[in-house]
Amino acid sequence: QVQLVESGGGSVQAGGSLRLSCAASAYINSSYCMAWFRQAPGKEREGVATFDIDGNTNYADSVKGRFTISQDNYSNTLYLQMNKLKPEDTAMYYCAATLRSCSRGRWDDYSEYSFWGQGTQVTVSS
């Protein structure tokens, strides 16, 4: 079992930046695939990015070139650096983890993730 706690959300104007953090209660080893998802009101939860301990990443097309996922293994913290934010990025952002490789199955299928944080709200105004 691993517990995840997100932080770093807030309100920002379009074009601005935010960095989200996800603190894990246990060491995130090579068995885990770590991910960020987001869910806007009235919409399905969608995958944003994944990261594994080997540094392999996946990104949604909508955030490629603007968002960067990374992990600090020493502090067991996952990050999501979000630049050039757009109003359509407004959503609740969730940290998630699953005990499998990020390259197996669909990385953006939220049903494949077993562990979730409570979420942090990101609001981007135009």
Side-chain angles (χ1 to χ4, degrees):
Q1 289 280 357
V2 60
Q3 294 180 330
L4 305 172
V5 179
E6 304 96 335
S7 61
S11 297
V12 64
Q13 289 191 328
S17 298
L18 284 173
R19 188 175 81 156
L20 305 184
S21 299
C22 171
S25 62
Y27 175 64
I28 305 300
N29 58 34
S30 59
S31 299
Y32 287 93
C33 175
M34 302 297 296
W36 287 99
F37 281 77
R38 66 186 181 185
Q39 188 166 19
K43 294 187 177 181
E44 285 195 359
R45 192 167 296 192
E46 64 172 348
V48 176
T50 64
F51 183 94
D52 66 28
I53 201 169
D54 294 325
N56 299 308
T57 58
N58 291 293
Y59 290 96
D61 288 343
S62 59
V63 306
K64 282 181 181 177
R66 300 188 298 121
F67 291 11
T68 303
I69 189 171
S70 62
Q71 182 169 308
D72 181 337
N73 292 331
Y74 181 76
S75 64
N76 298 326
T77 303
L78 183 73
Y79 298 101
L80 185 68
Q81 178 67 43
M82 306 186 295
N83 298 328
K84 300 179 182 179
L85 282 160
K86 303 175 181 180
E88 50 264 45
D89 294 318
T90 295
M92 184 71 78
Y93 283 71
Y94 297 92
C95 178
T98 185
L99 279 167
R100 65 160 176 78
S101 168
C102 290
S103 62
R104 287 183 58 192
R106 282 186 52 192
W107 71 266
D108 58 348
D109 182 350
Y110 64 83
S111 68
E112 297 203 17
Y113 290 79
S114 305
F115 308 106
W116 291 88
Q118 294 300 307
T120 185
Q121 178 68 37
V122 171
T123 303
V124 184
S125 58
S126 57

